[in-house]
Amino acid sequence: MVNDDSPAFHPDLTRARFMPPTSATRGNRALLRFVSGLGRTKPPTDGELVDLGDDVLLRVHRPTSASAADAGARRPAVLHLHGGGLIIGSATQGDRLCRRIADELGAVAISVDYRMPPEHPYPTPLDDAEAALRWLAAEPDVDPARIAVTGESAGGGLAASLALRARDRGEIALAGQALLYPMLDDRTGQAAATHPRMLRLWNPRSNRLGWGMYLGAGTKGPEATPLSADELALAVPARRAEQGPAALRGLPPTWIAVGTLDLFHAEDVEYARRLTEAGIPIELHVIEGAYHGFDAAEPSAAVSRDTVQRQLDALRGMLAAR
């Protein structure tokens, strides 16, 4: 008999054993990107589509129950960045969350279709996220002092990078960042996972593929030049955090949630520890037995609904009038 000491999946996640170990591979990446991009040029229900140029689209959601008394009032706002390992996905993934943010928090919520590698490696996706943030801050119905960023997986990592860039440039002071199992460290896929048999929807091989393309390893020509240590620190939040507490000071209050069976568990817990060390208000929510992308794969599960509600509650607190 084989001795298997692997931990159990969360009891609410009844489909876990049927989920594949990963989603994107070198062979299916192009097809998945095409499929995930279907509908990206159609405005969201009760929302609008804004073209920033260069095929960068914003899906904009405003509260549908705004009263006449709200006319002319400035609202809080949230910028959402979608997941997909930096190489697949589209802003349509954020429609449901953004609609809830708009209606439940009374905020303007947008999700950006940032360009992706290998055609558009770093810094283009981050530049697109920053362009979306600048657009949002300039909207007449948005209070630029009450803007938060959020995202899941690769989108959570981009949100963390955007928060660092915004802090560095000092033009837009973010009110907070809510990161759901964020992708923060390009070195994670270089070693075996603690429980490789338990990984779902994202594994070390896919992580190496996504980060490699983002950092330029999947390109040809001049773009293939390896990034310097300083450039890597700007591109990879975990590397920036390793520069010490001073590298993270001035970041906004942060919420991070991650499952114990997620490939990103260790890097997310470590990032939270370094934020705490830097004096940043941090709420870390660790979900026992949850795998990567569990909330999207099993949205009706109680643990999924609870986690998304915690994300909304965290954003609510960040966006409260100051």
Side-chain angles (χ1 to χ4, degrees):
M1 180 180 293
V2 177
N3 181 25
D4 186 359
D5 59 354
S6 297
F9 288 113
H10 192 287
D12 291 348
L13 302 175
T14 58
R15 303 176 191 169
R17 66 184 185 278
F18 304 114
M19 294 293 164
T22 193
S23 49
T25 66
R26 191 173 297 276
N28 71 9
R29 176 194 61 80
L31 176 61
L32 287 179
R33 180 182 292 188
F34 171 77
V35 172
S36 63
L38 294 175
R40 63 182 292 270
T41 59
K42 180 181 178 181
T45 303
D46 296 322
E48 62 179 306
L49 197 67
V50 174
D51 189 345
L52 294 185
D54 295 322
D55 201 33
V56 179
L57 302 176
L58 303 182
R59 303 179 70 79
V60 183
H61 305 253
R62 287 182 166 86
T64 54
S65 59
S67 65
D70 294 326
R74 292 203 166 203
R75 301 180 176 279
V78 176
L79 168 60
H80 170 263
L81 294 158
H82 71 80
L86 296 166
I87 51 177
I88 61 173
S90 79
T92 59
Q93 295 169 211
D95 282 353
R96 180 178 297 182
L97 177 65
C98 286
R99 176 42 53 198
R100 286 192 65 182
I101 290 171
D103 288 341
E104 296 181 27
L105 305 187
V108 178
I110 71 170
S111 189
V112 56
D113 245 332
Y114 53 86
R115 289 168 290 177
M116 290 182 282
E119 299 85 359
H120 303 286
Y122 171 84
T124 299
L126 184 56
D127 290 344
D128 292 345
E130 183 181 26
L133 177 61
R134 290 178 182 276
W135 180 92
L136 187 59
E139 282 296 277
D141 59 340
V142 168
D143 180 355
R146 289 192 292 157
I147 300 177
V149 293
T150 192
E152 66 281 349
S153 191
L158 281 174
S161 291
L162 181 60
L164 285 162
R165 181 182 278 192
R167 187 279 315 267
D168 290 347
R169 297 189 173 176
E171 298 172 4
I172 300 173
L174 291 175
Q177 54 179 342
L179 314 176
L180 184 56
Y181 39 81
M183 182 177 176
L184 300 171
D185 195 335
D186 63 302
R187 298 158 297 185
T188 294
Q190 297 173 8
T194 305
H195 299 288
R197 293 181 55 197
M198 306 299 287
L199 293 178
R200 296 293 184 269
L201 302 180
W202 199 251
N203 64 11
R205 178 174 294 181
S206 293
N207 209 45
R208 290 192 294 271
L209 177 66
W211 275 114
M213 289 185 170
Y214 181 65
L215 299 177
T219 63
K220 297 179 180 180
E223 295 83 3
T225 303
L227 298 181
S228 67
D230 289 341
E231 289 172 322
L232 279 173
L234 295 175
V236 184
R239 290 182 182 262
R240 185 71 171 273
E242 290 174 352
Q243 295 178 339
L248 300 178
R249 289 195 184 112
L251 285 175
T254 302
W255 177 88
I256 296 176
V258 65
T260 56
L261 297 181
D262 193 310
L263 179 66
F264 302 149
H265 172 257
E267 68 189 61
D268 291 355
V269 171
E270 174 63 11
Y271 196 68
R273 185 190 72 78
R274 290 184 178 274
L275 287 170
T276 299
E277 190 178 59
I280 307 303
I282 170 74
E283 178 184 351
L284 174 65
H285 179 50
V286 177
I287 309 106
E288 194 69 33
Y291 57 91
H292 190 72
F294 68 95
D295 60 307
E298 303 188 58
S300 62
V303 66
S304 299
R305 289 186 280 108
D306 175 72
T307 301
V308 174
Q309 187 60 57
R310 288 172 183 262
Q311 182 180 10
L312 287 166
D313 290 344
L315 287 167
R316 190 191 311 275
M318 294 168 183
L319 299 176
R322 293 185 292 175

